[in-house]
Amino acid sequence: MGVQVFKFGGTSVAAAERIRRVVALVREEPGRRVVVVSALGGVTDQLLDATRAALERTGEHRTWLARLQARHEEALASLVLPEEQKTVRAALAERWQELAELLDGVYLLRECTQRTRAAIIGTGERLSAPLVAAAFRAEGIGATALDATKLIRTDTTFGEAVVDFKTTNQLVQSGFQTFFNQTEETHVAVVTGFIAATEHGVMTTLGRSGSDYTATILGSALKADRVVIWTDVDGVLSADPRMVHEAFPLHHLSYREAAEMAYFGAKVLHPRTMRPVETHGIPIVIKNTLNPQAPGTIVNDETVPTERRVKAVSTIRDVAVVMIEGRGLLGVPGTAARTFDALGDHNINVLLIAQASSEQSICLVVRQEDAAGAVAALSHAFQRELDHGDVSRIYPVEDCAIVSVVGDLMRHEPGLAGRMFAALGRSKVNVLAIAQGAAETNISAVVAGHDARQAVDVLHEAFPLRRTRAHLCLIGTGVVGKTLIEIMQRQVPRLLDELRMNLRLVGISNSRQMRWDTNGIALDTALADLDAHGEPADLDALVEHLKTSKLERILVIDATASTAVARRYPELLERGIGIVTPNKRANTQDMDFYRRLREAEDRREVSYRYEATVMAGLPVVLTLRDLLRSGDTIERIEGVFSGTLAYIFGQLATGATFSDVVREAKAKGYTEPDPRDDLSGEDVARKLLILARETGLEIERTDVSVESLVPPEMMDLSVADFMDQLGDLDAAWTERIAAAQQEGKRLQYVGRVEDGRCQVGVQAIALDSPFARLQGTDNAVLFTSERYRNTPLVVQGPGAGPHVTAAGILADLIKAAQLMP
Ligand code: ADP
Ligand code: ASP
Ligand code: MG
């Protein structure tokens, strides 16, 4: 194992307890460990505040300083071994002394050069590194704090210094050579992030968020195995999580993608982070200190052809557009170069240059604070053109934002810029200019600042997350509904990860209570919250919520067996609301209703899915549809559709008596509470009707002939009486079974659709029939068709139970959500 570099950002070292976590994480790692630390979270900003206070002479800079000192002292007292505290405190005291002098200097002189500012704000890291090193020692791990001003050499652009890699590599290599020679392999180097020094040893900084850069500068010089950037999110996400709710971690990025994202505003990485390691192919891994189990993001030199074209959306706010307008500019060579020169001379960084929507202007994007300077510099540079009228105007448009979509594979997809425009246009975001990077890894649009959030959200939805936020309303919280919620708790995060699909529960109801919350209902507490905070259930009100909601992609899950709920399907479908259900009631109403249902589905192109109505999660409806749609002709459908009856007839074949078997099945929970619900054949009849209608038959429930196993006179008894009198049926069954056995057959309860007729009842079947070999409560269906004539297509397996039913519903939900526009 070679060297590993770990960088911990401000949030990861914000306080003593976080720093202990850092120690614990690094302790697990093998080999040589170099730790780069930022200032304690927020300290750099506070040092800037203190500088401002000094400069403005508010008299508060000392107060700021005292506050910072107290915070560090608190961490020190908690982290550092008692016997070490004095030395560490003394080391920090020097820093406080320097800081006080610097700030007083600013106060007195009423000026703050870039050099002074760098010296002030870079102190944050010089304060954190000794604390973190001491925290390692307190846990029995040898550690030394190293000051990066001795390792990283830069020019004198103090706030955003440019690294001299040749010297830096030598300094780092020789510095660490000595360090490694003098210490054991387990000894940790804790290096200050963010800061560096000029050749004269004057402190510079690498720009805000510069500690990421420090880590890869060291990683590259030391030819590290990898650089791990520990932060407070699960890696680089598809968008800023503070702006986009559905932002999700990206498992892999190329160096270029990561660099583009960082350049265009993804704060998680300093834009230059990728540069030092890129040429050596050293991977960067971004991980979450607060959730180390998450895989994080790996950045390396691969472009994976199977990855998505657009990977992420990012934004830079607080920018201004500088417009240079004029006919005389068109096609004049060197205009761009002159523009850059003019701005470069004034140290103004051009973030983006674009053709504006009108063809006669060039449009540059600069930071807001540079806008006035840029206009002045350009007016000066183009004075002659302005005088001659070749340039008519140079002016700023303030308060803008750049929104960018990033992905290496975008170049393979023409028309992305158009799609971007269209998506923004649909949501009424006005685009001032658009630009595509030369490497075609990004497309950027300039929009008004107040549109930025909306733009990012829309683009995130239009590209990486296309069509995948669906809003769910669950009706019915019986055993199937509950199980569905359980499965979803596990699967929803995975679906978000793997399919970019966010299934969000917004409504839930049972027969007693309901809740509707368009902000989303947490799955883990959905049922408890329904009990605790639900309003009284009211189907009309719920349907009203659904129909009037502005949410897109709503799916209702009807996990009831209620006709009242089923009757509402057509009006929901008419509103473009999808339905997924195991409830057989809707598809088994009269043909008029059935037609309305299918027409609504058809007209609105909205998903109505009911796979779980027949044999739970087994793909029965799907198989039948596929056969029909692929041009097959169905000749016969036969099936054992009732697990209860399959079990009963299986036991009867082994010689048990009818009454014993039914009692046993009831005791085992295989029957409905009233076993007559199964024995009447009604449930099987409904399933058969659903399949028959699927094939195009226009029939009513009453057209299905059903053999009930319950004599009419026993239908009105109480359950208890019925169970008592079951024995009366035994003799007849014994006789029927014996007769079948004589023919070398056994009995089974079968549903059949053939020649336009539907029949449900007991049949004597050959012992080698697939229906004779069913295990336990398994179901099976056979499709005999033109294509599958000699050997029918068989779907077989457990056809009931909360888990397979809920799984069938979820599978339908996913398909429905994917298909919704
Ligand atoms: P650190 O202190 O670890 O350097 P930063 O605050 O600099 O952390 O960067 C992490 C933060 O960046 C996240 O908490 C998140 O709010 C923000 N961020 C913005 N865009 C993204 C993105 N695309 N992916 C991940 N985080 C992002
Ligand atoms: N502390 C510095 C900043 O806040 C550097 C860093 O955290 O990376 O910008
Ligand atoms: Mg950072």
Side-chain angles (χ1 to χ4, degrees):
M1 195 79 197
V3 179
Q4 298 194 75
V5 178
F6 304 100
K7 178 257 170 175
F8 291 91
T11 43
S12 305
V13 293
E17 148 277 320
R18 293 278 173 96
I19 294 178
R20 270 191 278 271
R21 220 183 264 248
V22 168
V23 174
L25 284 169
V26 173
R27 144 172 271 152
E28 300 301 314
E29 298 289 342
R32 270 289 176 189
R33 298 160 299 186
V34 175
V35 171
V36 173
V37 290
S38 292
L40 307 199
V43 166
T44 314
D45 285 328
Q46 286 160 17
L47 287 169
L48 274 170
D49 289 336
T51 313
R52 207 167 299 122
L55 196 56
E56 291 166 5
R57 298 176 74 93
T58 61
E60 276 181 344
H61 65 273
R62 286 278 180 159
T63 327
W64 278 111
L65 212 53
R67 222 177 282 157
L68 281 169
Q69 195 166 353
R71 180 164 163 210
H72 284 78
E73 174 55 37
E74 195 180 320
L76 188 155
S78 157
L79 284 171
V80 183
L81 290 173
E83 60 270 31
E84 260 207 79
Q85 293 198 357
K86 214 169 131 203
T87 359
V88 177
R89 196 171 285 122
L92 297 196
E94 284 181 39
R95 302 279 95 85
W96 299 119
Q97 181 63 32
E98 277 162 24
L99 263 181
E101 285 169 8
L102 283 165
L103 287 167
D104 286 344
V106 171
Y107 179 87
L108 291 171
L109 295 171
R110 302 173 191 232
E111 77 166 7
C112 182
T113 60
Q114 292 297 344
R115 175 177 164 153
T116 308
R117 190 186 310 271
I120 295 172
I121 68 172
T123 306
E125 272 69 7
R126 289 180 140 175
L127 290 162
S128 65
L131 282 179
V132 174
F136 274 100
R137 293 193 295 271
E139 297 292 329
I141 304 167
T144 309
L146 301 179
D147 195 318
T149 54
K150 308 244 165 25
L151 299 168
I152 301 176
R153 174 69 56 81
T154 67
D155 70 359
T156 55
T157 324
F158 290 96
E160 199 89 37
V162 178
V163 176
D164 165 1
F165 275 97
K166 201 158 159 258
T167 315
T168 299
N169 286 341
Q170 283 164 2
L171 288 172
V172 173
Q173 281 154 8
S174 67
F176 274 93
Q177 186 71 50
T178 319
F179 181 84
F180 289 162
N181 284 339
Q182 289 171 350
T183 57
E184 285 181 29
E185 198 186 31
T186 52
H187 200 92
V188 177
V190 181
V191 188
T192 55
F194 188 44
I195 58 173
T198 67
E199 58 177 324
H200 302 298
V202 181
M203 186 153 91
T204 59
T205 66
L206 303 173
R208 292 307 304 270
S209 290
S211 305
D212 304 326
Y213 193 28
T214 307
T216 54
I217 293 170
L218 299 183
S220 151
L222 295 172
K223 304 278 182 300
D225 291 344
R226 57 178 193 156
V227 174
V228 186
I229 307 236
W230 286 94
T231 182
D232 62 344
V233 276
D234 284 350
V236 179
L237 309 181
S238 55
D240 187 336
R242 293 163 300 185
M243 295 178 91
V244 180
H245 189 77
E246 280 85 7
F248 52 88
L250 301 166
H251 294 312
H252 169 257
L253 289 170
S254 70
Y255 291 121
R256 187 159 56 195
E257 286 169 332
E260 295 279 342
M261 283 183 71
Y263 181 84
F264 284 105
K267 187 192 167 214
V268 61
L269 290 173
H270 182 283
R272 272 181 267 174
T273 310
M274 276 45 73
R275 273 194 227 166
V277 287
E278 202 165 10
T279 44
H280 304 293
I282 298 170
I284 306 174
V285 181
I286 296 91
K287 297 209 25 126
N288 191 349
T289 326
L290 307 172
N291 181 20
Q293 293 81 20
T297 304
I298 178 152
V299 182
N300 59 21
D301 50 13
E302 285 168 36
T303 295
V304 183
T306 50
E307 287 184 331
R308 275 166 314 110
R309 310 252 134 134
V310 172
K311 284 218 181 132
V313 184
S314 57
T315 180
I316 312 182
R317 303 223 220 186
D318 300 322
V319 299
V321 175
V322 178
M323 293 283 195
I324 310 177
E325 281 180 4
R327 292 184 148 272
L329 275 177
L330 280 183
V332 179
T335 311
R338 276 172 65 202
T339 311
F340 280 116
D341 283 348
L343 297 174
D345 288 346
H346 290 80
N347 260 330
I348 294 172
N349 190 10
V350 179
L351 297 168
L352 186 138
I353 177 157
Q355 183 88 39
S357 351
S358 93
E359 284 175 17
Q360 306 188 356
S361 56
I362 296 180
C363 138
L364 309 163
V365 183
V366 298
R367 300 220 170 266
Q368 181 84 19
E369 62 266 25
D370 291 335
V375 171
L378 291 170
S379 304
H380 183 71
F382 288 96
Q383 190 57 57
R384 209 158 43 97
E385 285 80 355
L386 280 164
D387 290 344
H388 292 160
D390 288 340
V391 170
S392 53
R393 265 204 319 162
I394 299 179
Y395 64 96
V397 183
E398 307 219 324
D399 292 323
C400 294
I402 302 175
V403 287
S404 311
V405 297
V406 174
D408 276 345
L409 298 175
M410 290 193 331
R411 62 179 179 280
H412 297 304
E413 187 165 328
L416 277 183
R419 222 162 87 200
M420 185 166 170
F421 260 131
L424 292 172
R426 268 200 306 278
S427 67
K428 312 255 179 314
V429 173
N430 186 28
V431 178
L432 284 100
I434 193 157
Q436 175 148 29
E440 294 183 53
T441 293
N442 82 80
I443 305 175
S444 297
V446 183
V447 302
H450 57 81
D451 280 340
R453 201 187 181 91
Q454 166 89 349
V456 170
D457 205 44
V458 164
L459 292 178
H460 193 260
E461 172 101 359
F463 292 106
L465 267 186
R466 190 165 54 180
R467 291 189 288 183
T468 42
R469 188 194 297 173
H471 301 97
L472 312 183
C473 176
L474 172 66
I475 309 182
T477 61
V479 52
V480 169
K482 275 202 183 80
T483 311
L484 177 66
I485 290 186
E486 263 166 46
I487 300 182
M488 282 178 48
Q489 277 179 49
R490 250 175 296 129
Q491 281 310 106
V492 165
R494 294 189 194 159
L495 292 172
L496 189 57
D497 208 33
E498 286 160 22
L499 293 183
R500 249 65 66 196
M501 171 181 291
N502 184 9
L503 297 181
R504 193 195 290 180
L505 189 68
V506 293
I508 182 165
S509 174
N510 54 29
S511 54
R512 299 171 304 279
Q513 272 154 313
M514 68 178 201
R515 281 191 72 202
W516 175 259
D517 184 350
T518 53
N519 290 320
I521 296 172
L523 289 169
D524 48 348
T525 52
L527 293 168
D529 286 351
L530 179 64
D531 281 344
H533 314 295
E535 325 160 34
D538 177 348
L539 185 58
D540 288 332
L542 188 61
V543 168
E544 206 49 33
H545 278 314
L546 287 161
K547 284 164 61 178
T548 54
S549 163
K550 294 203 169 35
L551 296 174
E552 286 186 305
R553 278 177 236 113
I554 305 181
L555 287 161
V556 170
I557 306 148
D558 172 13
T560 70
S562 141
T563 308
V565 178
R567 286 229 150 248
R568 311 303 288 258
Y569 293 2
E571 60 186 298
L572 293 172
L573 292 169
E574 288 288 358
R575 290 285 177 143
I577 295 169
I579 293 166
V580 172
T581 187
N583 181 357
K584 290 181 270 290
R585 297 293 165 159
N587 276 12
T588 55
Q589 298 289 304
D590 56 42
M591 265 314 286
D592 271 353
F593 182 85
Y594 187 76
R595 273 188 216 104
R596 272 213 301 159
L597 204 55
R598 307 318 296 246
E599 278 162 17
E601 177 196 7
D602 201 41
R603 193 166 42 243
R604 292 304 314 263
E605 293 179 41
V606 57
S607 281
Y608 169 44
R609 291 184 169 258
Y610 43 85
E611 183 63 84
T613 55
V614 183
M615 290 169 44
L618 296 177
V620 179
V621 177
L622 184 79
T623 305
L624 179 54
R625 277 194 184 178
D626 282 351
L627 290 174
L628 291 166
R629 285 182 181 165
S630 59
D632 205 350
T633 310
I634 303 291
E635 295 172 354
R636 190 185 322 128
I637 304 173
E638 287 168 290
V640 171
F641 294 105
S642 160
T644 317
L645 295 177
Y647 176 80
I648 289 173
F649 283 98
Q651 292 300 102
L652 287 177
T654 66
T657 64
F658 185 74
S659 56
D660 279 350
V661 177
V662 174
R663 277 191 203 106
E664 187 194 326
K666 181 171 180 344
K668 286 187 166 165
Y670 292 170
T671 69
E672 295 294 319
D674 182 346
R676 284 170 296 189
D677 290 344
D678 300 295
L679 297 172
S680 68
E682 185 56 35
D683 190 59
V684 176
R686 290 213 174 100
K687 292 175 185 165
L688 199 67
L689 181 61
I690 292 173
L691 294 183
R693 285 177 169 177
E694 201 67 37
T695 66
L697 281 183
E698 306 224 325
I699 54 168
E700 300 291 353
R701 161 64 190 86
T702 45
D703 298 330
V704 182
S705 89
V706 183
E707 178 189 354
S708 169
L709 305 188
V710 189
E713 65 276 12
M714 291 177 88
M715 280 310 276
D716 296 331
L717 299 176
S718 70
V719 177
D721 288 349
F722 171 70
M723 294 307 287
D724 279 348
Q725 293 179 27
L726 265 178
D728 297 354
L729 303 173
D730 285 347
W733 281 110
T734 313
E735 204 173 297
R736 239 175 132 170
I737 290 160
Q741 269 165 355
Q742 248 169 14
E743 287 179 56
K745 292 183 171 176
R746 53 161 285 197
L747 301 183
Q748 186 60 283
Y749 198 82
V750 177
R752 174 199 300 252
V753 187
E754 192 171 13
D755 297 331
R757 283 202 324 272
C758 296
Q759 230 179 340
V760 174
V762 182
Q763 279 185 19
I765 51 168
L767 293 180
D768 60 355
S769 140
F771 295 154
R773 294 193 301 262
L774 288 177
Q775 296 291 317
T777 58
D778 278 2
N779 290 6
V781 61
L782 268 59
F783 295 104
T784 308
S785 69
E786 208 173 296
R787 274 185 218 140
Y788 294 90
R789 183 169 292 143
N790 296 331
T791 318
L793 193 161
V794 187
V795 179
Q796 179 180 335
H803 276 94
V804 282
T805 307
I809 297 174
L810 183 56
D812 265 356
L813 274 176
I814 295 167
K815 290 190 201 110
Q818 279 175 328
L819 286 176
M820 287 180 102

